[in-house]
Amino acid sequence: MKIFTIITFIVISIFNSLFLPKIIHFNIWKVENNSQDISWAKFEWVNEELNGKYFEKAAMLIPCKVDGIPNIVTFQFDLGCNVTGVYENPLSSFYSKTPNLKKKLKHIQSKIMFWNKERYFEDLVINFGGYTASNKTAYIFSDYGEKVQIQNPKDTIHLGTIGSDIFKDKVLIIDYPKKLFAICDNVPEIYNSNLVDIELDEYGRVILPMKIKDRNYRIMFDNGSSIFPLITKASNISNFSTSKDIDTIQISSWGKIHGVTGKLITDTFQLAGQNFDNVKIYSNHSGLGIDDGTDGTSGNALFWDKTLIIDFENKKIGVK
């Protein structure tokens, strides 16, 4: 599997999908489950070295089958991304052997944007675990990802991203220790306790309540940003910690290297109804910043030993 696409998208996810479409509306995903019980699907961790530093659990990948593609493919599991879609470059690797795939790429017609070059994948069907997710007009990340030489039908190809839109009006359960997730219509009874309120932003992404020193903050939950427990703008860091810098990570984004510095939060704080202490928060000095509508971003690290229950329809979250 090629690493470039995954690492690059981790960096994009850190900046809360600033480069993803926000004005084009796509059809709602249809997610079907062939079981009446909780049906679990697998995800895999990717461990990576980034600028000389090794990170465990740097990204979550979902093994999938896509109708019309013979190989197993992976999609990055990324709730910080508001659009589920396919990367054009690895998709094009299949054209020589499956020419009908190219015919499924259609241009989006727009009366306002006559210069619009956005495209969609017609009738995309993704299968993972016992689930079938389908969309008549799935987004194409144009000229994105890495084209590969497919020499073996058993090769696994990294093909796209599964974002927050696929879970609209659903319940998502992520069991981190078992590396499993489930999609339900309602919160199962065994998980239906100690749920707290959350927000969804205008793109359907999860905003968690955080309380520290009797002050309330809004933190985006982004499971595509696995490197950092918490990250915020440099201008916000003093709201969370005034400790000395104890860690620096050099991040490459769009060809530029910049430092992300970490401090220890010495106060106990509450996030998503759970208490945490001795957590590092990182300060982003790149100038790209965290989404202006939030105070920071939380990744997976705070929940590695837990199970998350996210009720998108009723705007609730639970942690077990």
Side-chain angles (χ1 to χ4, degrees), residues 3 7 46-56 58 227 250:
I3 302 304
I7 286 298
V46 174
N47 304 326
E48 296 297 346
E49 184 176 305
L50 187 59
N51 290 317
K53 193 166 186 177
Y54 183 78
F55 295 93
E56 291 186 347
I227 294 176
Q250 296 297 322

Side-chain angles (χ1 to χ4, degrees), residues 2-67:
K2 299 293 185 179
I3 302 304
F4 174 81
T5 299
I6 301 170
I7 286 298
T8 303
F9 215 84
I10 289 170
V11 174
I12 293 176
S13 187
I14 290 168
F15 302 120
N16 291 323
S17 307
L18 295 178
F19 302 95
L20 298 181
K22 295 184 177 181
I23 60 175
I24 298 170
H25 298 281
F26 296 91
N27 287 343
I28 296 174
W29 281 86
K30 182 178 181 181
V31 180
E32 298 177 295
N33 177 10
N34 57 19
S35 172
Q36 296 298 316
D37 300 320
I38 299 177
S39 181
W40 295 101
K42 297 179 180 180
F43 69 85
E44 302 170 348
W45 288 113
V46 174
N47 304 326
E48 296 297 346
E49 184 176 305
L50 187 59
N51 290 317
K53 193 166 186 177
Y54 183 78
F55 295 93
E56 291 186 347
K57 303 177 180 177
M60 301 169 73
L61 300 186
I62 301 173
C64 303
K65 283 288 294 181
V66 170
D67 283 10

Side-chain angles (χ1 to χ4, degrees), residues 144-162:
Y144 190 81
E146 189 171 7
K147 189 171 182 177
V148 295
Q149 293 293 327
I150 302 173
Q151 300 177 346
N152 191 318
K154 294 183 179 180
D155 290 342
T156 299
I157 308 301
H158 188 57
L159 191 63
T161 290
I162 288 180

Side-chain angles (χ1 to χ4, degrees), residues 1-283:
M1 180 187 300
K2 299 293 185 179
I3 302 304
F4 174 81
T5 299
I6 301 170
I7 286 298
T8 303
F9 215 84
I10 289 170
V11 174
I12 293 176
S13 187
I14 290 168
F15 302 120
N16 291 323
S17 307
L18 295 178
F19 302 95
L20 298 181
K22 295 184 177 181
I23 60 175
I24 298 170
H25 298 281
F26 296 91
N27 287 343
I28 296 174
W29 281 86
K30 182 178 181 181
V31 180
E32 298 177 295
N33 177 10
N34 57 19
S35 172
Q36 296 298 316
D37 300 320
I38 299 177
S39 181
W40 295 101
K42 297 179 180 180
F43 69 85
E44 302 170 348
W45 288 113
V46 174
N47 304 326
E48 296 297 346
E49 184 176 305
L50 187 59
N51 290 317
K53 193 166 186 177
Y54 183 78
F55 295 93
E56 291 186 347
K57 303 177 180 177
M60 301 169 73
L61 300 186
I62 301 173
C64 303
K65 283 288 294 181
V66 170
D67 283 10
I69 293 178
N71 295 63
I72 297 292
V73 299
T74 57
F75 282 69
Q76 184 173 0
F77 194 178
D78 186 359
L79 298 180
C81 178
N82 55 308
V83 176
T84 297
V86 173
Y87 307 155
E88 181 182 21
N89 291 342
L91 180 67
S92 68
S93 303
F94 293 98
Y95 291 166
S96 61
K97 294 184 178 179
T98 52
N100 286 335
L101 280 178
K102 192 172 184 179
K103 297 178 182 178
K104 286 181 167 287
L105 272 66
K106 309 290 185 179
H107 280 279
I108 297 169
Q109 301 298 318
S110 173
K111 295 180 180 179
I112 301 174
M113 300 166 57
F114 61 87
W115 64 89
N116 180 36
K117 296 182 180 179
E118 302 289 355
R119 289 180 293 170
Y120 65 87
F121 188 103
E122 186 177 52
D123 295 323
L124 179 63
V125 180
I126 307 173
N127 300 283
F128 48 89
Y131 299 95
T132 299
S134 58
N135 196 316
K136 294 290 185 182
T137 56
Y139 187 69
I140 291 288
F141 292 85
S142 297
D143 196 26
Y144 190 81
E146 189 171 7
K147 189 171 182 177
V148 295
Q149 293 293 327
I150 302 173
Q151 300 177 346
N152 191 318
K154 294 183 179 180
D155 290 342
T156 299
I157 308 301
H158 188 57
L159 191 63
T161 290
I162 288 180
S164 60
D165 59 336
I166 208 170
F167 305 107
K168 180 178 172 60
D169 299 329
K170 297 288 186 179
V171 175
L172 170 65
I173 305 171
I174 306 175
D175 187 329
Y176 283 100
K178 294 181 180 179
K179 297 188 290 187
L180 298 172
F181 71 99
I183 306 171
C184 308
D185 292 325
N186 301 289
V187 178
E189 186 175 348
I190 60 172
Y191 296 111
N192 196 11
S193 62
N194 301 319
L195 302 180
V196 299
D197 293 333
I198 59 173
E199 299 176 50
L200 298 180
D201 72 3
E202 60 181 311
Y203 309 115
R205 298 176 298 181
V206 175
I207 310 297
L208 303 176
M210 179 178 181
K211 187 171 185 178
I212 181 172
K213 297 180 182 177
D214 295 322
R215 294 196 301 268
N216 296 314
Y217 297 98
R218 300 170 67 250
I219 305 296
M220 178 178 290
F221 174 64
D222 180 3
N223 71 332
S225 178
S226 288
I227 294 176
F228 306 107
L230 289 165
I231 187 168
T232 189
K233 293 180 182 178
S235 59
N236 285 348
I237 192 69
S238 61
N239 292 330
F240 301 97
S241 175
T242 56
S243 301
K244 294 180 180 180
D245 292 346
I246 58 174
D247 188 19
T248 299
I249 300 173
Q250 296 297 322
I251 296 293
S252 174
S253 55
W254 309 111
K256 295 183 179 180
I257 304 295
H258 62 89
V260 179
T261 54
K263 300 176 181 288
L264 192 66
I265 300 178
T266 56
D267 298 281
T268 298
F269 63 89
Q270 189 176 74
L271 181 71
Q274 299 290 301
N275 290 325
F276 296 91
D277 50 33
N278 296 318
V279 171
K280 278 193 288 188
I281 184 167
Y282 287 82
S283 175

